[in-house]
Amino acid sequence: MVDAAKKTAVKKTAAKKTTAKKKAAKKKAAPKKTTAKKTTTASKSRAAVKVIPGQSLVIVESPTKIRTLSRLLGKDYTIMASVGHVSDLPTKELGVDVEDGFKPRYETIRGKAKVLNDLKRAAKTAEKVYLAPDPDREGEAIAWHVAQAIDKPPESVFRITFDEITRRGVEQGLASPRQIDMALFEAQQARRILDRLVGYKISPLLWKKVRRGLSAGRVQSVAVRLICEREEEIRAFNPEEYWSIDLKVEAENPPPFAMALAQFQGEKVKIGNEEQARAILDAVGGGPLDIQSIQTKDARRHPAPPFITSTLQQEAARKLHFTAKRTMSVAQRLYEGVELNGEHIGLITYMRTDSTRIAGEALTMAREYITGNYPPEYLPENPNVYRTKKSAQDAHEAIRPTDVSLTPDMLKGKLDKDQQRLYELIWKRFLASQMTSAVFEQTRVEAVAPEARDYLFVATGQVSKFKGFLTLYQEGLDDQAEDPNASKSLPKMNEGEKLSVLEILPNQHFTQPPPRFTEATLVRELEKQGIGRPSTYASIISVIQEKEYAIKDRTRFAPSELGELVNGLLVECFPNILDVGFTANMEDRLDHVEDGSVEWHGLLDAFYKDFEPTLQEATQKMRNVKAEAQETDIECDQCGKKMVIKWGRNGKFLACPGYPECKNTRNLDKDGQVVEEDRTPEELQQTCPNCGQNLVVKTGRNGRFAACPGYPNCKHAEAIKTGAKCPNDGCDGDLVERYSAKKKSTFYSCNQWPKCKYIAPAKPVAGTRCAECGHSFLVEDPKADPPGLRCPAEGCGYKITL
């Protein structure tokens, strides 16, 4: 649908084109230069590319694919890019006509008018148009919107997909042209409209009841609920005492090993307190144990399947400490391709998939590599086949390298650090998935004390007999202190042999609460509960942090005070929307829209019939946090009234009830205490250039800063200096404290930015110098225990303890 503003923009564009043609005609009359300026990939994707009659036009999603596809397809094809989505629902209004069958109103995304005009112009003279955005729901939607915009006869417009950006993948895509999959598009459209209804209907209510800028989301709010409920479990957890009894024993053959008390009279032993533990120790005594049985058997450990989106995000979080968003960004670059030996090559298959299926040629490629690089026993007789879960779409293969012969070592120096590490993870996981299982010899030794045969002590050991796939790859662990498959060898023993007791080790323990979610375990929980889909996990995790509903403390998520407040309001007023089962069922129904078994209008209609009355009730019922004012005993230092606690843009704060006559406010920390510097500002050794007073520390939306205490008469403010000078040659700048709003963290950099872009790896400490290399300052070492300082110079390992 083209509105008046858009028509005007198109006319202006046409006028500019006419002027451009006249200028081009003048240039044509001038003498030609001997060398022509090369067109870059980015500019070519946006320029008005002229399609030679008879040529085919291929429209991809990302400009980075243009160069690769141009080389692979040759002169008969012109490649252009939509540069992502070109149309979407309007940004400042609902854009969905609920009364007219949930009809969406799409608009050209801001900045995409020229892209669309160029695509239209190129499509007019093309014999055929191939729509080749990414092979998923979003890609199908982009293809549909582009097809609507170029307005070309359907018989000359085809949808193609590339599961990998290689010659094989491109040839397979071109060999299988089809029409746009309307069920796939409608699944994306239904999901988009559903999310818009929830977001645009509930968010304004939060603005009215809590504060502006808040948002609710059909899936993001459920993810926040999971984090909040986990926090509630942790708070409500009551640790229970229990004891374990271990013995350090020695057989006739070394080495000594540990045995644990496992059973009493054939039942699992439970020791609740020290008194019970002492009674058992008295009964067992300190004498030797008799070996009652020795059981030895072989156990196999099978390789993990190749990656799907969720397992890639989990493993990258465990092993590489990547966020889900970072993982998907790097994987996208590996899929789209990198420059290798003068060629642009896609290195992995499409990274949004929930299937562990592997193409036949890829299996052959993997088995040939294993045969050529490992002994025969590392190749199983038949390829390993992995079961894909029932709910999987199975539209694409598992994530794997496009060419196994491109080993990680071969790519060193040709990829950036993130690409290298993620590619190595994918390459090893895929290859290991087609190798032989590992074999362990497991031994279980049971022994009793002659005087107390009711107590059974057990020792288990495991020794690797054949490493198999573990030679190449071992899966990471979540929230486990020890790998249960780790090898623990036991000495050679015989039944009836006596074991000498070297040490008795009674240990007190307390049960632990469930751990907070990491990115890996949150993705795993979302997948387990059926919340969202693999392609959405990264955005879900990013949004709940950007909205400050969840805070990541190092690696684990905790709900913010705001997050818990909003979650409580939504759970109370929208129990269905925030219900895990309801949300998972809705995801399944959306999947059924994709397979054609559910009609999208009916899905939205059924949802909205329940949602609308709930929304109306919530408008009246929801607690009005914004209007609440909790009185305190803190006096306003300007008018003497008792200050009250209110909610604002940055959470709770103290305000004078005399507003607007008295506008005094004070900050509160996360525990509800008045911020210390609010009471007594910290004085700095920095002088105000205007009035000569020492500057003091203040805190604003973007972190701490140095300000003149003479405010409002003097409004000078600057960054807080660390006292250390910039170490870059020729720079006389000071290292200052900065705050990254995006990363929610403090960093230290030169105040001469952008002229000097030095950033210190940690907080510089003034008055220090490296005793080894002479670097002008040391930095705090956050990993040191006890606290210490280290030299920030590359290659210098100097450290001191404080």
Side-chain angles (χ1 to χ4, degrees):
M1 188 177 293
V2 181
D3 57 19
K6 185 177 175 184
K7 288 178 180 178
T8 303
V10 171
K11 287 178 180 178
K12 287 181 179 179
T13 303
K16 288 180 180 179
K17 297 295 179 184
T18 302
T19 304
K21 285 180 180 179
K22 290 179 180 179
K23 289 182 178 179
K26 289 180 180 179
K27 287 184 178 180
K28 193 172 182 182
K32 291 185 179 180
K33 296 181 180 180
T34 54
T35 56
K37 185 178 180 181
K38 292 183 179 179
T39 303
T40 64
T41 300
S43 62
K44 185 180 178 183
S45 69
R46 294 173 173 82
V49 178
K50 182 179 180 182
V51 180
I52 299 172
Q55 276 190 336
S56 293
L57 174 64
V58 178
I59 301 174
V60 293
E61 188 171 329
S62 169
T64 58
K65 298 176 185 174
I66 292 177
R67 189 171 180 181
T68 307
L69 292 175
S70 296
R71 178 178 56 79
L72 294 175
L73 293 175
K75 63 182 180 179
D76 292 333
Y77 295 86
T78 297
I79 321 297
M80 296 179 70
S82 69
V83 198
H85 280 275
V86 293
S87 301
D88 198 3
L89 298 173
T91 57
K92 295 184 179 180
E93 56 184 293
L94 181 64
V96 177
D97 191 339
V98 176
E99 303 300 324
D100 189 13
F102 301 94
K103 184 177 180 180
R105 180 168 63 83
Y106 292 112
E107 293 182 350
T108 300
I109 294 172
R110 186 176 181 180
K112 290 298 181 72
K114 185 178 187 307
V115 173
L116 272 179
N117 287 335
D118 290 344
L119 294 177
K120 290 177 189 177
R121 189 175 295 104
K124 279 183 181 179
T125 56
E127 182 179 343
K128 294 179 181 178
V129 175
Y130 293 98
L131 304 173
D134 288 351
D136 56 12
R137 286 173 178 155
E138 297 301 319
E140 208 71 18
I142 293 171
W144 186 86
H145 285 295
V146 170
Q148 299 301 304
I150 63 176
D151 194 25
K152 196 157 176 81
E155 60 271 15
S156 62
V157 179
F158 305 93
R159 172 74 165 117
I160 59 174
T161 59
F162 305 133
D163 287 332
E164 55 184 75
I165 310 300
T166 61
R167 185 170 298 282
R168 178 178 63 246
V170 171
E171 288 176 352
Q172 288 176 347
L174 278 172
S176 306
R178 58 173 173 81
Q179 296 302 307
I180 290 174
D181 186 332
M182 289 306 296
L184 190 59
F185 163 68
E186 287 169 357
Q188 187 275 345
Q189 180 170 257
R191 184 180 299 273
R192 185 76 183 93
I193 293 173
L194 189 61
D195 290 341
R196 175 57 67 97
L197 290 173
V198 172
Y200 267 62
K201 294 289 187 178
I202 298 180
S203 297
L205 183 58
L206 292 176
W207 289 25
K208 181 181 178 182
K209 302 286 189 176
V210 186
R211 67 170 170 83
R212 290 186 64 83
L214 298 181
S215 72
R218 183 180 61 86
V219 178
Q220 78 177 47
S221 296
V222 179
V224 173
R225 181 177 185 174
L226 292 176
I227 294 171
C228 289
E229 288 182 343
R230 176 60 59 88
E231 197 70 15
E232 289 170 7
E233 287 181 67
I234 294 170
R235 287 175 188 153
F237 184 80
N238 291 315
E240 294 182 7
E241 180 184 11
Y242 71 96
W243 286 67
S244 64
I245 295 178
D246 295 331
L247 303 178
K248 186 176 181 181
V249 300
E250 186 174 44
E252 293 178 4
N253 296 313
F257 59 97
M259 298 198 82
L261 178 60
Q263 294 181 7
F264 174 68
Q265 295 181 347
E267 299 292 331
K268 183 178 179 181
V269 70
K270 294 182 180 180
I271 311 172
N273 53 50
E274 185 176 6
E275 184 180 353
Q276 294 175 8
R278 294 297 174 192
I280 294 171
L281 292 175
D282 290 342
V284 172
L289 302 181
D290 292 335
I291 295 179
Q292 185 170 278
S293 71
I294 299 175
Q295 303 165 15
T296 301
K297 64 178 182 180
D298 281 352
R300 292 182 176 273
R301 183 178 174 190
H302 305 300
F307 284 128
I308 59 176
T309 304
S310 60
T311 55
L312 176 64
Q313 291 173 355
Q314 291 172 56
E315 194 74 336
R318 296 183 194 112
K319 290 192 169 185
L320 308 181
H321 307 294
F322 281 11
T323 62
K325 184 177 182 179
R326 182 178 175 187
T327 297
M328 296 309 292
S329 174
V330 177
Q332 179 83 34
R333 301 202 315 264
L334 291 174
Y335 162 71
E336 291 179 349
V338 297
E339 197 75 23
L340 294 175
N341 302 321
E343 293 187 2
H344 208 76
I345 299 173
L347 294 178
I348 65 170
T349 52
Y350 193 57
M351 64 284 156
R352 292 185 179 90
T353 178
D354 53 8
S355 173
T356 55
R357 175 174 53 84
I358 303 170
E361 60 265 29
L363 286 174
T364 300
M365 183 168 51
R367 290 174 65 82
E368 287 176 351
Y369 185 90
I370 295 168
T371 299
N373 292 274
Y374 293 88
E377 58 268 26
Y378 283 82
L379 182 73
E381 185 177 345
N382 296 306
N384 294 331
V385 178
Y386 298 91
R387 183 181 301 172
T388 295
K389 62 181 181 179
K390 291 182 180 179
S391 62
Q393 298 300 295
D394 202 36
H396 310 294
E397 281 188 70
I399 303 169
R400 61 168 177 82
T402 57
D403 185 353
V404 168
S405 67
L406 286 174
T407 67
D409 284 344
M410 291 173 62
L411 297 176
K412 282 183 178 176
K414 299 175 182 177
L415 304 178
D416 65 34
K417 186 178 179 181
D418 282 359
Q419 291 173 331
Q420 179 73 36
R421 295 170 71 196
L422 193 65
Y423 180 77
E424 183 171 0
L425 201 66
I426 294 169
W427 186 90
K428 286 184 174 181
R429 172 83 163 225
F430 171 65
L431 203 61
S433 75
Q434 291 306 310
M435 296 177 79
T436 313
S437 300
V439 181
F440 298 90
E441 181 183 80
Q442 291 183 342
T443 303
R444 177 184 172 91
V445 179
E446 297 180 350
V448 295
E451 306 299 326
R453 304 188 74 85
D454 285 342
Y455 294 97
L456 181 70
F457 288 85
V458 173
T460 57
Q462 180 171 271
V463 179
S464 175
K465 292 180 69 176
F466 175 64
K467 284 192 171 183
F469 75 94
L470 290 175
T471 302
L472 183 62
Y473 182 86
Q474 181 163 341
E475 192 172 16
L477 300 171
D478 284 324
D479 298 326
Q480 295 183 37
E482 188 176 1
D483 181 358
N485 296 293
S487 295
K488 300 173 186 175
S489 60
L490 294 174
K492 186 171 180 59
M493 292 173 279
N494 298 302
E495 290 186 8
E497 183 179 331
K498 290 191 177 297
L499 300 173
S500 301
V501 178
L502 303 179
E503 193 175 356
I504 300 174
L505 304 168
N507 293 303
Q508 183 188 37
H509 308 275
F510 290 93
T511 54
Q512 297 296 311
R516 287 172 170 167
F517 290 111
T518 62
E519 285 227 3
T521 57
L522 183 55
V523 168
R524 188 178 66 189
E525 186 70 14
L526 291 170
E527 184 179 37
K528 176 185 174 183
Q529 299 288 356
I531 306 302
R533 285 297 179 260
S535 60
T536 65
Y537 297 148
S539 62
I540 291 169
I541 291 172
S542 294
V543 167
I544 63 176
Q545 292 178 86
E546 289 166 4
K547 297 298 181 182
E548 298 183 353
Y549 293 151
I551 301 167
K552 189 158 68 170
D553 181 10
R554 298 189 68 180
T555 62
R556 296 187 180 273
F557 288 106
S560 66
E561 186 178 15
L562 176 64
E564 291 190 278
L565 172 67
V566 171
N567 177 68
L569 295 174
L570 294 181
V571 169
E572 180 183 1
C573 296
F574 298 93
N576 271 358
I577 299 294
L578 271 288
D579 181 71
V580 170
F582 177 85
T583 306
N585 180 61
M586 184 59 71
E587 292 290 355
D588 289 339
R589 296 191 68 200
L590 286 166
D591 288 345
H592 289 313
V593 172
E594 185 171 324
D595 64 29
S597 60
V598 169
E599 201 275 328
W600 72 277
H601 294 94
L603 181 150
L604 292 173
D605 188 56
F607 166 79
Y608 201 74
K609 280 180 179 177
D610 289 333
F611 176 64
E612 177 62 21
T614 304
L615 180 68
Q616 295 305 321
E617 183 181 355
T619 302
Q620 303 301 320
K621 177 182 173 184
M622 185 179 283
R623 170 184 158 206
N624 192 341
V625 178
K626 186 183 286 187
E628 294 174 356
Q630 180 184 344
E631 189 173 298
T632 71
D633 293 329
I634 302 171
E635 288 189 359
C636 174
D637 54 13
Q638 293 185 15
C639 72
K641 292 181 180 179
K642 298 291 186 182
M643 300 191 82
V644 295
I645 297 175
K646 287 193 171 187
W647 272 89
R649 184 180 184 88
N650 297 310
K652 285 183 179 178
F653 69 100
L654 281 177
C656 180
Y659 181 88
E661 289 77 17
C662 180
K663 300 179 180 179
N664 187 27
T665 61
R666 296 173 74 175
N667 295 327
L668 295 175
D669 63 20
K670 63 180 181 180
D671 298 318
Q673 301 298 313
V674 178
V675 177
E676 190 61 36
E677 61 235 13
D678 226 24
R679 300 172 184 164
T680 308
E682 176 189 348
E683 190 172 286
L684 298 168
Q685 296 303 309
Q686 292 176 235
T687 304
C688 176
N690 297 333
C691 62
Q693 298 184 74
N694 278 2
L695 302 181
V696 295
V697 176
K698 292 286 186 179
T699 303
R701 287 181 57 195
N702 296 314
R704 305 194 323 156
F705 63 97
C708 182
Y711 181 88
N713 296 323
C714 179
K715 298 181 179 180
H716 176 76
E718 61 185 52
I720 297 174
K721 296 179 181 179
T722 65
K725 302 293 288 185
C726 179
N728 277 352
D729 290 341
C731 181
D732 192 37
D734 294 300
L735 296 186
V736 298
E737 182 178 311
R738 303 278 192 194
Y739 180 76
S740 170
K742 185 175 182 181
K743 296 184 177 181
K744 309 296 182 189
S745 62
T746 300
F747 66 99
Y748 304 89
S749 65
C750 181
N751 65 353
Q752 297 300 309
W753 190 92
K755 182 180 177 182
C756 176
K757 298 182 179 180
Y758 177 80
I759 297 177
K763 183 178 180 179
V765 179
T768 60
R769 179 176 289 274
C770 179
E772 288 191 8
C773 72
H775 194 276
S776 59
F777 60 85
L778 301 177
V779 297
E780 293 181 354
D781 189 348
K783 296 181 180 179
D785 186 17
L789 306 178
R790 65 181 177 85
C791 179
E794 188 175 349
C796 181
Y798 178 71
K799 293 182 179 182
I800 60 171
T801 301
L802 297 178

